[in-house]
Amino acid sequence: MTQLAIKPINVRSLIPSWWPRLLAAVVAVAVVGAGAFLVVQRANALPSDAAMKVGGRTVKISELDKRIKVLSGLYNVKQPTDATEKASFRRDAAKSMAVSLILERAAKSKGITVTRTQAQQQLDKVIESQMLGDQKTYEQFLATAGVTESEVLSEITRVIATSRLYSDITASVPEVTQAEVKSYYEDHKAEMVTPEQRSISNIVVATEAEADQVLAELAKGTEFAAVARSSSRDSGTAAKGGSLGAVQKSQLEDTYAKAAFGAAKGKVFGPVRTSSGWNVGVVTDVTEPIPVGLEDAAQTLTQTLTTQAQTKAWNKWLGRQIKAAEVEYANDYRPKDPDAPPATPAD
């Protein structure tokens, strides 16, 4: 069972291993609405039920709402309830959909097609890898996510096409040389260490009052493992006395990470509120960062520098495509910075 204090691997993400390493950049533009060179045309008024017009195609507000619903189900992208945040979210969603449509058109123009069979095969792999192998569990996932299998297949088709398009656009990027890798290593030598790891045990409960009760019980001298077994809502870790194992700071939710990596070894910390509930933890061991030599870092650095070069080439190409599309937005859906370039992982 998912360890509640650790960022969950959510089956709704449906992000398979074949997605290229740069997908963080692709997703930022095509899925979650990163900035892009979206040129806003204001000469012609849009219909009252339209959110935008992309390359001559009018996108209705209802279409955008459907897209948001699918994103919510598959990628756990939640629409805020606060009015100001919601308005900003919908502008970002409109930008996201505009870029997605532009990428679809670009893929078609390059003869990139994805068959339903190919999408289904990839879906089958995702289901198996996410332990949704039996039909009943998969159907429960669809019901919980609020999406249909057709919508899942459409999203996977879109992702495969974008992945192939990305590969096509970045194919001409020169390979990174060992001299470049060595130079980067020397310039960033202080950063070349394995991250600190901490062995942590955790108890998660529903309310702050319950967390205070846990702290009171521990203060009496009751062993942490015993309290975890009797009180923790996370049955997967409770059976192990609350042990999360050795984790890095990046694996933990931000509020919990700050508390866990700021606590002294052997000291109880909390209560800390996370998406899972109220947590009380204890650091049982600390593994300090270890310097990494050039030989050990070379492969990772080669991948990193390659990704950076590919990102640059991709964003340059994408910027031209978006400018040419002449996107027109309704007032409520016009992005705050329509001409801002897409962010890259290095920014």
Side-chain angles (χ1 to χ4, degrees):
M1 185 175 178
T2 301
Q3 296 170 342
L4 293 181
I6 297 180
K7 291 179 181 177
I9 301 174
N10 195 323
V11 295
R12 296 185 184 184
S13 67
L14 292 182
I15 299 178
S17 59
W18 46 267
W19 202 311
R21 286 187 300 274
L22 183 66
L23 193 60
V26 177
V27 169
V29 176
V31 177
V32 295
F37 297 101
L38 297 177
V39 179
V40 179
Q41 302 296 315
R42 299 182 176 84
N44 301 313
L46 291 173
S48 60
D49 63 347
M52 59 189 158
K53 183 182 288 186
V54 184
R57 174 185 167 181
T58 299
V59 178
K60 293 184 177 181
I61 295 172
S62 59
E63 292 181 73
L64 178 61
D65 287 337
K66 183 177 180 180
R67 175 65 174 157
I68 291 173
K69 176 177 175 290
V70 173
L71 289 177
S72 177
L74 298 183
Y75 297 97
N76 203 27
V77 176
K78 300 299 184 183
Q79 185 167 239
T81 55
D82 176 80
T84 301
E85 292 179 358
K86 183 177 179 179
S88 178
F89 174 90
R90 292 182 69 79
R91 288 193 295 269
D92 286 343
K95 182 188 292 186
S96 163
M97 189 170 183
V99 177
S100 182
L101 292 172
I102 291 167
L103 290 173
E104 285 182 22
R105 186 175 64 179
K108 289 179 181 178
S109 71
K110 287 183 172 292
I112 297 173
T113 59
V114 180
T115 66
R116 183 178 178 84
T117 298
Q118 291 170 327
Q120 184 65 59
Q121 289 174 340
Q122 191 55 59
L123 175 58
D124 291 342
K125 291 180 182 178
V126 172
I127 292 172
E128 182 179 356
S129 68
Q130 297 288 355
M131 297 180 291
L132 293 171
D134 63 276
Q135 188 62 27
K136 183 178 179 180
T137 303
Y138 175 55
E139 289 174 357
Q140 288 175 341
F141 158 70
L142 292 178
T144 301
V147 297
T148 65
E149 180 165 278
S150 178
E151 289 170 332
V152 173
L153 287 171
S154 293
E155 185 64 19
I156 287 180
T157 298
R158 185 179 294 109
V159 169
I160 294 175
T162 300
S163 175
R164 292 179 182 175
L165 180 62
Y166 168 79
S167 296
D168 181 82
I169 299 302
T170 61
S172 61
V173 174
E175 292 185 6
V176 175
T177 67
Q178 290 307 302
E180 290 174 318
V181 170
K182 183 177 181 180
S183 176
Y184 186 92
Y185 176 86
E186 294 297 336
D187 290 343
H188 299 80
K189 200 167 185 176
E191 304 167 20
M192 299 299 156
V193 296
T194 59
E196 176 185 337
Q197 291 192 90
R198 293 190 165 208
S199 295
I200 299 171
S201 291
N202 184 68
I203 298 169
V204 58
V205 292
T207 67
E208 186 175 13
E210 289 179 276
D212 289 337
Q213 290 174 6
V214 166
L215 288 170
E217 189 67 27
L218 294 172
K220 293 178 183 178
T222 307
E223 290 187 357
F224 193 97
V227 180
R229 292 188 186 99
S230 64
S231 303
S232 184
R233 300 174 66 200
D234 184 354
S235 58
T237 60
K240 298 183 291 185
S243 175
L244 302 178
V247 296
Q248 298 175 11
K249 191 172 185 179
S250 61
Q251 292 177 270
L252 304 171
E253 291 190 30
D254 292 341
T255 53
Y256 189 89
K258 183 177 180 180
F261 277 73
K265 179 180 175 181
K267 296 294 184 180
V268 172
F269 62 88
V272 182
R273 190 174 187 178
T274 69
S275 61
S276 303
W278 287 87
N279 299 264
V280 174
V282 63
V283 177
T284 58
D285 195 20
V286 177
T287 302
E288 299 293 342
I290 302 172
V292 178
L294 175 58
E295 184 176 346
D296 293 328
Q299 183 176 355
T300 299
L301 290 180
T302 298
Q303 294 173 348
T304 298
L305 294 176
T306 297
T307 295
Q308 290 177 354
Q310 290 173 338
T311 301
K312 185 176 180 179
W314 170 262
N315 283 342
K316 184 177 181 180
W317 172 85
L318 182 59
R320 293 196 299 267
Q321 303 305 308
I322 296 172
K323 279 187 175 182
E326 298 185 342
V327 181
E328 179 184 354
Y329 290 98
N331 287 335
D332 289 343
Y333 295 92
R334 184 174 296 120
K336 183 178 180 181
D337 299 308
D339 298 324
T344 67
D347 288 346

